[in-house]
Amino acid sequence: FAYVNSFNNVIGLRSRINAHKSDLSFQDLSSKKSFHTCSNAICKMASVLYEEAGPILSSTKRSLIEDFVNNAGGKRVIQRILIANNGMAATKAILSMRQWAYMNLGDDQALEFVVMATKDDLNANAEFIRLADAFVEVPSGSNKNNYANVDLIVDIAEKEKVDAVWPGWGHASENPRLPSTLKSKGIQFIGPSADVMAALGDKISANILAQSAKVPSIPWSGDHITLDVEARKRDAPDEEIVPKELFTEACISSVDQAKASAEKIGYPVMIKASEGGGGKGIRLANNVEELKNNFIQVQNEVPGSPIFMMKLCTQARHIEVQIVGDEHGNAVALNGRDCSTQRRFQKIFEEGPPSIVPKETFREMELAAQRLTQSIGYVGAGTVEYLYNKDSNSFFFLELNPRLQVEHPVTEGITDINLPSLQLQVAMGIPLYRVPSVRAFYGLDPSGKAPIDFFEDRYVYPQKHVIAARITAENPDEGFKPTSGKIERVKFQSTKSVWGYFSVGANGGIHEFADSQFGHLFATGATREEARRSLVLALKGIDVRGDIRTTVEYLIKLLETNEFKVNNIDTSWLDGIIRQKSVSTTIDPQIVALSAAVFRTFSNANNQIKDLINALSKGQASLQAIPAILNFPVEITYDDVKYVFQSTMLGPNIFSLKINGQDIEVRIREQPDKSLLCTIGGENYQLFGQEEALGLRMKIDGNTVIIPTVYNPSELRSDVTGKIVRFLVQDGDEVAKDQPYVEVEAMKMIMAIKATESGSIKQNLSPGSVLQAGDLIASLKLKDPSKVKQIVTFKDKLSIIPTQSSLTLDDAAEKISLATDGFNHDVETAIQVALTNDKDITLEGVI
């Protein structure tokens, strides 16, 4: 409305807008029942704005962009853009391109953004929807219904009259049908052409092209295949660059083929879906048994994708080169990134420049990437990935991703080049050497027009270091299983050396179809160590409240390891740490038990007081509940030990917790954010607790821990929200403890759940069933009940409690005062302290 009112005198829309305001009740807007009524009113008002004000405003903004494109030697104007993505990708794209528009055009609203939004994203209060100018609601569910649905994307692009579509990463970003269909409709695709995407974007074709261009390749299922690219383009210009028969020859389509290929390559091998990415569709097999199971898992994670196999390159670093090509035949390498910290091939930290690689060797990597992409006319941003061996100073081609990567802000940080805006300018047909930020990176006049020879000219090597950390909704205590649910708040404070962005905000959430990553932090320093320290401090300051678990605390521990500090890691480093459990965020079990007892004591007392007040307000005069408020038992079972406390209320927010003759006084103050500030023996603690289906989740002085609900050992329950893909054992079969018995899909990942005990299994659910955390998947007839781990009762005193000081005069006065209010205290001792003290004592309310 403010935007419309600012143009009232020009376009005279006030009366027409006000005509529809009467349809809109803001009181109704908070009611889901009336939401569609309110939405219709808003849409009527928006329609007036779009039909009459839109053309006037858009033409003015369009002329700004048109002048810029003409002055930069471009070919087409792009002003209205459909973001065919969600989450982190959509959020970053809009933020970056608005920033570019303001810095270069003087108007951050010069570009118009239309986004797609599922009901799940709308309910999750997704940030990208708020940032956009308009959204189109699309079907919920898996991405084949929405963000990966090419026909739907093209249909929306046509109806919304957009100039271009930005695909981001994941979803449909690597589907050649998207650029080809958009081209037939006259809509610009911000990325490479369909034939190039099909050739380079597919990992199999990319490997064939790379080895044909004499780029070093590691042993894989198609390492015997070569292709004369120039002859192919000349003789079959309308055909796929890599012939179908060569492509098929490099693929693995069955377990038997996989076994034969593995014998030729040699174990360990990687099984990879060519259409996978982001940790999906990739598995390691060390032997033939693992090969059988993991091959099927890869097939299930990326259905229909061609699969290939490659030798696992040990003691290797994952090094990336950021490349950008334009339609004028230029290809530039914008330095690169080291993404060697990976968990199951999912990147955790990314950093740049890749300081582990000698500069001259890295220059060879860059030139090879440029040759490969330029030879087939690559247009847009892409990433060439290599495996690098430090000992031999050698590198091998891994793949080329024909899209922007999640970690691209690392490159932005070391080059000062806004990559989404560079994608936009390339799509406008602007030559790379005319882009001001690219010229500045090469130490040239940003406003100059002289061509740059990107093969011969050298850019100014970055003099700073950037380290990035992904913030994900995963549980590091349970094998990094993804979690979903509401998010109450995300607290993060940017500094001069660390910035970050998040795809969700307060009162948002992560739904089961979303990617687990919802945040990304980037720390900059003059040196790697300076950047590392800044990132640690930033992570320590993050506070995420809600149903989800995060990896924040675990990331801090990783950054503090000596191996990471001295940069002595490889792609298998983190998986080894997880396997050996050499890095953990464990807390003293006694602290956990006491903290849980404090939380449940406070919660129980408060809930009972509220119930009593509610009953009294209804005229129910019974006071029988009061004794249970003042004194009640609290049992906590953690790490197979049961702690039995007796809780006594000593005053408002003051409790005594007794265990095995030990009396612990706790003072509690509830903060506005629902955290508890506790004083025990003169020492302060901050607690936050939340009851969940699987138990009590607590944050104790910044560290998260789960106090699990004690279930019957014969019950096999889900610890994730998702759906069952398949059972790995038949109904009635024997299953051993820690043996995977079912595969579930959660947060777009396939994972195996292991049996907690040995016995014969009875399936309670069928494949395809939707799961909530805590649901009973199957039951066990225990093989030997006597071998089930027993819970023992704690019979000692807590050693973590500080020695309590003697009773002071103020303490005595408080106890006497509280005793007169009806609370149970040792009054005789308090009076004795008061009488033996020389000072006068004033007891408010005591006669």
Side-chain angles (χ1 to χ4, degrees):
F1 296 136
Y3 197 61
V4 172
N5 287 337
S6 69
F7 286 85
N8 269 336
N9 296 330
V10 179
I11 57 179
L13 290 176
R14 181 187 295 275
S15 60
R16 294 196 63 191
I17 293 294
N18 286 339
H20 295 296
K21 279 186 181 178
S22 60
D23 298 332
L24 178 62
S25 164
F26 284 96
Q27 184 175 0
D28 288 342
L29 191 58
S30 62
S31 169
K32 291 184 178 179
K33 187 175 181 181
S34 303
F35 178 76
H36 289 292
T37 302
C38 300
S39 296
N40 290 335
I42 293 171
C43 288
K44 291 176 185 176
M45 297 161 64
S47 177
V48 174
L49 175 61
Y50 180 74
E51 291 175 8
E52 299 197 23
I56 297 173
L57 302 180
S58 294
S59 63
T60 303
K61 296 176 184 301
R62 197 170 187 86
S63 65
L64 281 175
I65 300 172
E66 187 174 1
D67 290 343
F68 177 87
V69 172
N70 290 336
N71 292 333
K75 295 182 177 180
R76 64 191 66 87
V77 173
I78 296 176
Q79 194 250 336
R80 188 169 170 85
I81 304 166
L82 171 64
I83 305 295
N85 215 300
N86 65 337
M88 297 291 291
T91 301
K92 177 59 167 60
I94 298 174
L95 289 172
S96 292
M97 285 191 260
R98 286 212 190 282
Q99 180 190 50
W100 171 83
Y102 185 78
M103 299 303 294
N104 290 272
L105 307 175
D107 185 356
D108 62 331
Q109 300 298 314
L111 298 171
E112 296 177 11
F113 295 100
V114 180
V115 298
M116 305 161 62
T118 65
K119 184 179 179 181
D120 299 306
D121 281 326
L122 289 165
N123 292 340
N125 195 25
E127 185 74 1
F128 74 94
I129 301 172
R130 181 187 68 81
L131 294 171
D133 296 284
F135 76 86
V136 177
E137 186 168 352
V138 294
S140 295
S142 65
N143 67 356
K144 66 182 180 182
N145 299 329
N146 38 70
Y147 306 107
N149 188 323
V150 171
D151 295 330
L152 178 64
I153 294 170
V154 175
D155 182 59
I156 293 172
E158 284 191 289
K159 289 179 179 177
E160 292 295 321
K161 298 180 173 60
V162 301
D163 301 308
V165 172
W166 186 87
W169 49 83
H171 298 311
S173 64
E174 296 183 56
N175 188 335
R177 277 195 62 231
L178 183 57
S180 64
T181 310
L182 288 172
K183 184 178 180 180
S184 70
K185 304 293 184 181
I187 300 171
Q188 184 70 26
F189 177 74
I190 302 179
S193 60
D195 60 333
V196 171
M197 178 182 287
L200 281 182
D202 183 88
K203 299 173 178 65
I204 296 170
S205 295
N207 273 280
I208 293 173
L209 291 170
Q211 62 199 25
S212 297
K214 301 194 184 307
V215 178
S217 296
I218 60 179
W220 68 291
S221 54
D223 58 13
H224 59 288
I225 302 170
T226 57
L227 170 68
D228 187 335
V229 178
E230 285 190 16
R232 174 67 176 174
K233 290 172 67 177
R234 182 185 64 248
D235 299 337
D238 298 326
E239 300 291 331
E240 294 175 337
I241 298 176
V242 177
K244 186 175 182 179
E245 59 272 16
L246 292 184
F247 182 90
T248 303
E249 189 178 339
C251 294
I252 304 294
S253 58
S254 68
V255 172
D256 288 338
Q257 273 190 318
K259 289 162 63 177
S261 183
E263 289 176 7
K264 178 175 75 75
I265 297 169
Y267 289 100
V269 296
M270 302 298 309
I271 311 163
K272 305 181 75 172
S274 65
E275 296 172 6
K280 287 182 63 179
I282 181 169
R283 286 289 188 278
L284 169 66
N286 291 292
N287 52 57
V288 68
E289 289 303 317
E290 290 184 4
L291 182 68
K292 293 178 190 176
N293 287 328
N294 292 349
F295 182 82
I296 296 173
Q297 283 191 349
V298 170
Q299 284 182 317
N300 289 335
E301 281 193 344
V302 192
S305 171
I307 296 174
F308 69 106
M309 288 170 49
M310 60 188 296
K311 175 79 173 177
L312 176 67
C313 187
T314 58
Q315 297 181 322
R317 304 287 288 240
H318 181 116
I319 306 297
E320 299 179 346
V321 174
Q322 178 68 63
I323 58 101
V324 183
D326 66 21
E327 58 191 76
H328 304 276
N330 299 300
V332 63
L334 302 176
N335 203 265
R337 302 175 288 263
D338 186 342
C339 304
S340 300
T341 308
Q342 302 179 6
R343 177 193 57 79
R344 221 200 76 188
F345 315 110
Q346 176 70 48
K347 298 162 189 171
I348 303 297
F349 299 129
E350 307 101 350
E351 56 183 294
S355 55
I356 196 70
V357 185
K359 290 181 181 179
E360 289 307 311
T361 303
F362 186 70
R363 179 59 179 163
E364 292 178 25
M365 291 180 170
E366 290 180 312
L367 290 172
Q370 289 173 263
R371 288 194 306 270
L372 179 59
T373 54
Q374 189 185 55
S375 65
I376 59 170
Y378 187 94
V379 177
T383 302
V384 177
E385 301 184 355
Y386 295 102
L387 292 176
Y388 171 74
N389 186 285
K390 179 184 175 182
D391 294 336
S392 62
N393 192 32
S394 56
F395 62 92
F396 304 96
F397 177 80
L398 184 60
E399 62 182 330
L400 190 151
N401 286 304
R403 54 173 171 79
L404 205 59
Q405 299 269 86
V406 183
E407 61 271 18
H408 74 269
V410 171
T411 297
E412 293 180 325
I414 60 177
T415 64
D416 293 326
I417 295 175
N418 179 329
L419 285 175
S421 76
L422 182 55
Q423 286 182 293
L424 176 63
Q425 293 171 81
V426 166
M428 290 174 171
I430 298 172
L432 282 166
Y433 62 83
R434 293 293 302 275
V435 177
S437 57
V438 173
R439 297 188 65 83
F441 181 53
Y442 274 78
L444 302 173
D445 178 8
S447 61
K449 299 181 180 181
I452 301 173
D453 186 335
F454 294 113
F455 282 89
E456 295 296 331
D457 297 341
R458 303 289 287 265
Y459 56 73
V460 180
Y461 202 83
Q463 298 302 306
K464 52 187 173 181
H465 200 91
V466 175
I467 304 179
R470 300 188 184 196
I471 310 301
T472 58
E474 297 174 320
N475 183 358
D477 297 331
E478 294 291 336
F480 292 86
K481 287 180 179 176
T483 63
S484 59
K486 293 181 181 178
I487 294 178
E488 296 173 7
R489 61 178 286 190
V490 177
K491 175 191 170 187
F492 168 70
Q493 184 64 51
S494 294
T495 67
K496 66 177 183 179
S497 58
V498 183
W499 75 279
Y501 72 104
F502 295 82
S503 61
V504 296
N507 301 315
I510 306 292
H511 57 81
E512 62 179 294
F513 299 106
D515 190 90
S516 63
Q517 183 183 357
F518 67 96
H520 218 160
L521 299 193
F522 303 88
T524 303
T527 64
R528 183 178 185 273
E529 175 61 13
E530 188 176 304
R532 185 195 67 81
R533 293 189 180 192
S534 295
L535 184 56
V536 168
L537 289 175
L539 288 168
K540 287 183 175 181
I542 284 183
D543 186 17
V544 180
R545 299 279 176 86
D547 298 334
I548 66 168
R549 286 291 307 274
T550 76
T551 55
V552 171
E553 299 140 36
Y554 195 83
L555 297 182
I556 295 171
K557 297 286 187 181
L558 289 178
L559 288 167
E560 295 281 34
T561 61
N562 185 63
E563 291 89 349
F564 190 88
K565 288 180 181 179
V566 300
N567 204 11
N568 184 27
I569 60 176
D570 58 35
T571 54
S572 64
W573 171 69
L574 180 52
D575 283 329
I577 282 178
I578 294 171
R579 189 166 50 251
Q580 297 166 11
K581 298 183 178 180
S582 57
V583 170
S584 64
T585 55
T586 55
I587 310 173
D588 189 310
Q590 291 188 14
I591 293 177
V592 173
L594 179 59
S595 299
V598 169
F599 174 80
R600 283 185 168 154
T601 290
F602 184 81
S603 298
N604 181 66
N606 270 11
N607 290 337
Q608 291 201 58
I609 290 172
K610 288 177 183 177
D611 291 343
L612 177 61
I613 294 173
N614 185 49
L616 293 173
S617 68
K618 295 178 180 178
Q620 301 171 8
S622 174
L623 301 179
Q624 292 181 352
I626 291 181
I629 296 175
L630 297 176
N631 199 290
F632 52 87
V634 177
E635 289 189 2
I636 303 296
T637 301
Y638 181 70
D639 206 13
D640 300 320
V641 177
K642 182 167 69 174
Y643 301 81
V644 182
F645 295 89
Q646 188 66 30
S647 175
T648 303
M649 183 180 288
L650 301 179
N653 297 330
I654 306 174
F655 296 88
S656 166
L657 292 176
K658 294 180 181 176
I659 182 169
N660 301 326
Q662 186 179 20
D663 195 345
I664 305 162
E665 184 176 294
V666 183
R667 293 172 180 265
I668 305 171
R669 177 185 176 87
E670 186 176 30
Q671 298 296 91
D673 64 356
K674 302 302 181 182
S675 64
L676 304 181
L677 290 181
C678 308
T679 302
I680 303 174
E683 295 189 7
N684 296 325
Y685 304 87
Q686 185 176 36
L687 312 176
F688 179 81
Q690 184 167 321
E691 297 284 0
E692 300 176 344
L694 295 174
L696 171 63
R697 176 157 58 92
M698 297 202 67
K699 201 165 189 177
I700 306 169
D701 280 342
N703 294 303
T704 301
V705 65
I706 291 285
I707 296 90
T709 301
V710 179
Y711 288 113
N712 186 317
S714 67
E715 297 176 344
L716 299 177
R717 294 183 178 271
S718 173
D719 54 1
V720 296
T721 298
K723 72 174 182 178
I724 295 176
V725 176
R726 63 170 180 148
F727 280 93
L728 302 177
V729 292
Q730 298 298 314
D731 203 19
D733 284 357
E734 291 284 326
V735 63
K737 182 179 180 180
D738 295 327
Q739 177 186 339
Y741 72 93
V742 68
E743 284 182 353
V744 300
E745 180 181 6
M747 308 286 284
K748 302 191 294 184
M749 300 290 288
I750 302 292
M751 63 188 66
I753 297 181
K754 298 177 180 179
T756 52
E757 297 293 341
S758 299
S760 59
I761 193 167
K762 182 181 185 303
Q763 299 170 3
N764 288 59
L765 298 173
S766 59
S769 299
V770 175
L771 292 172
Q772 297 294 325
D775 283 355
L776 183 66
I777 299 176
S779 302
L780 284 177
K781 183 178 180 181
L782 296 175
K783 186 175 182 179
D784 187 350
S786 65
K787 291 185 178 180
V788 173
K789 186 178 289 186
Q790 301 296 314
I791 294 174
V792 298
T793 302
F794 183 76
K795 296 183 179 180
D796 206 344
K797 289 182 170 57
L798 299 180
S799 60
I800 58 170
I801 304 302
T803 303
Q804 295 189 348
S805 56
S806 302
L807 200 65
T808 66
L809 180 61
D810 289 339
D811 293 336
E814 181 186 44
K815 288 183 180 296
I816 295 171
S817 179
L818 289 171
T820 63
D821 288 337
F823 293 101
N824 185 20
H825 283 273
D826 184 358
V827 180
E828 291 186 7
T829 302
I831 292 175
Q832 187 66 32
V833 170
L835 294 176
T836 56
N837 198 290
D838 294 335
K839 296 182 180 179
D840 293 334
I841 179 171
T842 301
L843 301 176
E844 185 178 344
V846 179
I847 299 176

